[in-house]
Amino acid sequence: MEFYQFLYFLFCLSGQLLLNLSFSTTQLCRPIQSDALLQFNDSLTVETDTDSDCDPKMTTWKNSLDCCSWDDVTCDNVTGNIIGLDLLYSCLQGTLRSNSSLFALRHLQSLNLAFNNFCTSPILPELSVSNFSSLVSIEISYLSKLILLYLSFNDNFHFAPVSFPKSNWSKSLQSLTLSSTRILGKIPDSIGELKNLKTLELDYCQLIGSVPSSLVNLTKLTRELDLSKNKISGQIPRRFWNIEKGTLESLDISSNLIEGVMIFLVTLLRESYNNFPGKILFLATDNGFSGEIPSSVCKLSSLVGLYLDHNNLFGSIPQCLGNLTNLSYLDLSANKFEGTLPQSLDSCALLHTLNVSHNKINDTFPK
């Protein structure tokens, strides 16, 4: 009898151990990474008084021991490592310091800090950043497994070209979005080392100078290149068009100081996008392009959007534009075009935005 009681005791004990083991495997969060998140949380403040629409996601983090269950924290299902952190529009305020515990999360693949307010003392004051701005620390490159990085609309974030992350992201990073941050000068040559980039957004970054030749190394840039709303100057070098190999879906160079003759630009577009099976959105608004639009533009059958407004273009609008049957957006306003609208536009069944205002067009849209 005692022998059976002993067996029953062992059975219960083993069952409890199995339950504990099963329970422990569901706790994916690694304590050291949980502590790093909480330290990062404690280093910042949540400010909702100035913006009641933001979402203070981090305020709930201490309610559970398992950080993998916290709002906008993503963990690897097998290892329990934190691989994603989405703090978009989270009411955060403070400074991203060089010793931030955030940089200890070395398994991060996606980091989104967009639409916050990182603005107090500078991280690297020796680089003469004003005392209400924050220079993005080079330590962010320690996150060497990043695939997606979003720092957009942090107006007080600064990237100094001399310290822009280089080799640590050369193999992993596929999407870099720095819209409305400040890169303090020219487009960093080191961006050309991020050879697996598919998306690069550098709009509203206060960039100056010309497009660096190093961008030709971004041969996998297939989704979007946005250099708009800067002060990039000069002409577009021919080698620049090699970067997309006819696969870039959206190219935005609008609102810069770029110059060039339109026939040259269209020639480069044709060379890059001949037989391209996808759809193209091309924006060159508000630059210094001049000349006439050549009829060869009508062979860019993949165009869905063409924005050439606010340039120095003149002559007549090509009559063959109706060949662009995928065209949905056409803006040629604020140029010096003359004559009539092409009757062939009536064939553009998808066209729902047409703007030719502030020209010398004496006509109405074809019926």
PDB file of all heavy atoms in Angstrom, residues 266-279:
ATOM      1  N   VAL A 266      13.129  62.814 -69.172  1.00  0.00           N
ATOM      2  CA  VAL A 266      12.231  61.796 -69.728  1.00  0.00           C
ATOM      3  C   VAL A 266      13.038  60.659 -70.361  1.00  0.00           C
ATOM      4  O   VAL A 266      12.681  59.476 -70.245  1.00  0.00           O
ATOM      5  CB  VAL A 266      11.275  62.429 -70.756  1.00  0.00           C
ATOM      6  CG1 VAL A 266      10.507  61.346 -71.518  1.00  0.00           C
ATOM      7  CG2 VAL A 266      10.296  63.360 -70.049  1.00  0.00           C
ATOM      8  N   THR A 267      14.144  61.002 -71.014  1.00  0.00           N
ATOM      9  CA  THR A 267      15.008  59.977 -71.602  1.00  0.00           C
ATOM     10  C   THR A 267      15.520  59.017 -70.540  1.00  0.00           C
ATOM     11  O   THR A 267      15.523  57.786 -70.730  1.00  0.00           O
ATOM     12  CB  THR A 267      16.195  60.623 -72.336  1.00  0.00           C
ATOM     13  OG1 THR A 267      15.700  61.453 -73.378  1.00  0.00           O
ATOM     14  CG2 THR A 267      17.115  59.558 -72.917  1.00  0.00           C
ATOM     15  N   LEU A 268      15.945  59.576 -69.399  1.00  0.00           N
ATOM     16  CA  LEU A 268      16.440  58.737 -68.307  1.00  0.00           C
ATOM     17  C   LEU A 268      15.323  57.865 -67.742  1.00  0.00           C
ATOM     18  O   LEU A 268      15.532  56.691 -67.416  1.00  0.00           O
ATOM     19  CB  LEU A 268      17.041  59.613 -67.208  1.00  0.00           C
ATOM     20  CG  LEU A 268      18.328  60.351 -67.569  1.00  0.00           C
ATOM     21  CD1 LEU A 268      18.789  61.226 -66.400  1.00  0.00           C
ATOM     22  CD2 LEU A 268      19.426  59.379 -67.943  1.00  0.00           C
ATOM     23  N   LEU A 269      14.128  58.433 -67.634  1.00  0.00           N
ATOM     24  CA  LEU A 269      12.994  57.653 -67.142  1.00  0.00           C
ATOM     25  C   LEU A 269      12.699  56.488 -68.088  1.00  0.00           C
ATOM     26  O   LEU A 269      12.451  55.362 -67.649  1.00  0.00           O
ATOM     27  CB  LEU A 269      11.763  58.547 -67.014  1.00  0.00           C
ATOM     28  CG  LEU A 269      11.658  59.405 -65.755  1.00  0.00           C
ATOM     29  CD1 LEU A 269      10.502  60.388 -65.885  1.00  0.00           C
ATOM     30  CD2 LEU A 269      11.460  58.545 -64.516  1.00  0.00           C
ATOM     31  N   ARG A 270      12.738  56.749 -69.359  1.00  0.00           N
ATOM     32  CA  ARG A 270      12.457  55.694 -70.332  1.00  0.00           C
ATOM     33  C   ARG A 270      13.517  54.598 -70.276  1.00  0.00           C
ATOM     34  O   ARG A 270      13.216  53.408 -70.364  1.00  0.00           O
ATOM     35  CB  ARG A 270      12.386  56.276 -71.736  1.00  0.00           C
ATOM     36  CG  ARG A 270      11.076  56.981 -72.064  1.00  0.00           C
ATOM     37  CD  ARG A 270      10.973  57.202 -73.549  1.00  0.00           C
ATOM     38  NE  ARG A 270      11.041  55.918 -74.248  1.00  0.00           N
ATOM     39  CZ  ARG A 270      11.480  55.789 -75.506  1.00  0.00           C
ATOM     40  NH1 ARG A 270      11.932  56.835 -76.169  1.00  0.00           N
ATOM     41  NH2 ARG A 270      11.497  54.611 -76.080  1.00  0.00           N
ATOM     42  N   GLU A 271      14.775  55.008 -70.149  1.00  0.00           N
ATOM     43  CA  GLU A 271      15.859  54.020 -70.084  1.00  0.00           C
ATOM     44  C   GLU A 271      15.708  53.128 -68.856  1.00  0.00           C
ATOM     45  O   GLU A 271      16.018  51.936 -68.894  1.00  0.00           O
ATOM     46  CB  GLU A 271      17.210  54.732 -70.039  1.00  0.00           C
ATOM     47  CG  GLU A 271      17.619  55.381 -71.350  1.00  0.00           C
ATOM     48  CD  GLU A 271      18.936  56.125 -71.231  1.00  0.00           C
ATOM     49  OE1 GLU A 271      19.477  56.191 -70.102  1.00  0.00           O
ATOM     50  OE2 GLU A 271      19.421  56.640 -72.254  1.00  0.00           O
ATOM     51  N   SER A 272      15.220  53.708 -67.756  1.00  0.00           N
ATOM     52  CA  SER A 272      15.110  52.956 -66.508  1.00  0.00           C
ATOM     53  C   SER A 272      13.856  52.088 -66.458  1.00  0.00           C
ATOM     54  O   SER A 272      13.863  51.026 -65.850  1.00  0.00           O
ATOM     55  CB  SER A 272      15.101  53.922 -65.320  1.00  0.00           C
ATOM     56  OG  SER A 272      16.324  54.604 -65.228  1.00  0.00           O
ATOM     57  N   TYR A 273      12.772  52.555 -67.101  1.00  0.00           N
ATOM     58  CA  TYR A 273      11.484  51.892 -66.916  1.00  0.00           C
ATOM     59  C   TYR A 273      10.950  51.238 -68.185  1.00  0.00           C
ATOM     60  O   TYR A 273       9.761  50.966 -68.290  1.00  0.00           O
ATOM     61  CB  TYR A 273      10.459  52.903 -66.390  1.00  0.00           C
ATOM     62  CG  TYR A 273      10.685  53.243 -64.943  1.00  0.00           C
ATOM     63  CD1 TYR A 273      11.377  54.379 -64.581  1.00  0.00           C
ATOM     64  CD2 TYR A 273      10.217  52.401 -63.938  1.00  0.00           C
ATOM     65  CE1 TYR A 273      11.600  54.688 -63.250  1.00  0.00           C
ATOM     66  CE2 TYR A 273      10.430  52.693 -62.608  1.00  0.00           C
ATOM     67  CZ  TYR A 273      11.119  53.844 -62.271  1.00  0.00           C
ATOM     68  OH  TYR A 273      11.339  54.139 -60.950  1.00  0.00           O
ATOM     69  N   ASN A 274      11.796  50.976 -69.132  1.00  0.00           N
ATOM     70  CA  ASN A 274      11.356  50.281 -70.326  1.00  0.00           C
ATOM     71  C   ASN A 274      10.892  48.862 -69.970  1.00  0.00           C
ATOM     72  O   ASN A 274      11.605  48.093 -69.332  1.00  0.00           O
ATOM     73  CB  ASN A 274      12.505  50.213 -71.347  1.00  0.00           C
ATOM     74  CG  ASN A 274      12.044  49.664 -72.681  1.00  0.00           C
ATOM     75  OD1 ASN A 274      10.908  49.891 -73.094  1.00  0.00           O
ATOM     76  ND2 ASN A 274      12.930  48.954 -73.358  1.00  0.00           N
ATOM     77  N   ASN A 275       9.660  48.554 -70.322  1.00  0.00           N
ATOM     78  CA  ASN A 275       9.060  47.230 -70.054  1.00  0.00           C
ATOM     79  C   ASN A 275       8.869  46.951 -68.567  1.00  0.00           C
ATOM     80  O   ASN A 275       8.799  45.794 -68.150  1.00  0.00           O
ATOM     81  CB  ASN A 275       9.911  46.108 -70.672  1.00  0.00           C
ATOM     82  CG  ASN A 275       9.997  46.227 -72.178  1.00  0.00           C
ATOM     83  OD1 ASN A 275       9.013  46.562 -72.841  1.00  0.00           O
ATOM     84  ND2 ASN A 275      11.185  45.958 -72.724  1.00  0.00           N
ATOM     85  N   PHE A 276       8.777  48.007 -67.757  1.00  0.00           N
ATOM     86  CA  PHE A 276       8.527  47.813 -66.320  1.00  0.00           C
ATOM     87  C   PHE A 276       7.092  47.342 -66.112  1.00  0.00           C
ATOM     88  O   PHE A 276       6.144  47.997 -66.549  1.00  0.00           O
ATOM     89  CB  PHE A 276       8.764  49.127 -65.577  1.00  0.00           C
ATOM     90  CG  PHE A 276       8.474  49.070 -64.101  1.00  0.00           C
ATOM     91  CD1 PHE A 276       9.068  48.111 -63.309  1.00  0.00           C
ATOM     92  CD2 PHE A 276       7.615  49.985 -63.511  1.00  0.00           C
ATOM     93  CE1 PHE A 276       8.822  48.054 -61.945  1.00  0.00           C
ATOM     94  CE2 PHE A 276       7.359  49.943 -62.146  1.00  0.00           C
ATOM     95  CZ  PHE A 276       7.964  48.981 -61.354  1.00  0.00           C
ATOM     96  N   PRO A 277       6.868  46.181 -65.451  1.00  0.00           N
ATOM     97  CA  PRO A 277       5.515  45.634 -65.331  1.00  0.00           C
ATOM     98  C   PRO A 277       4.679  46.292 -64.230  1.00  0.00           C
ATOM     99  O   PRO A 277       3.461  46.135 -64.197  1.00  0.00           O
ATOM    100  CB  PRO A 277       5.777  44.162 -64.988  1.00  0.00           C
ATOM    101  CG  PRO A 277       7.084  44.192 -64.255  1.00  0.00           C
ATOM    102  CD  PRO A 277       7.890  45.287 -64.904  1.00  0.00           C
ATOM    103  N   GLY A 278       5.302  47.022 -63.305  1.00  0.00           N
ATOM    104  CA  GLY A 278       4.573  47.612 -62.192  1.00  0.00           C
ATOM    105  C   GLY A 278       4.027  48.987 -62.528  1.00  0.00           C
ATOM    106  O   GLY A 278       3.837  49.352 -63.680  1.00  0.00           O
ATOM    107  N   LYS A 279       3.777  49.777 -61.479  1.00  0.00           N
ATOM    108  CA  LYS A 279       3.235  51.119 -61.640  1.00  0.00           C
ATOM    109  C   LYS A 279       4.201  52.132 -61.038  1.00  0.00           C
ATOM    110  O   LYS A 279       4.829  51.876 -60.024  1.00  0.00           O
ATOM    111  CB  LYS A 279       1.859  51.216 -60.987  1.00  0.00           C
ATOM    112  CG  LYS A 279       0.816  50.320 -61.638  1.00  0.00           C
ATOM    113  CD  LYS A 279      -0.551  50.453 -60.993  1.00  0.00           C
ATOM    114  CE  LYS A 279      -1.564  49.557 -61.697  1.00  0.00           C
ATOM    115  NZ  LYS A 279      -2.921  49.668 -61.089  1.00  0.00           N
TER     116      LYS A 279
END
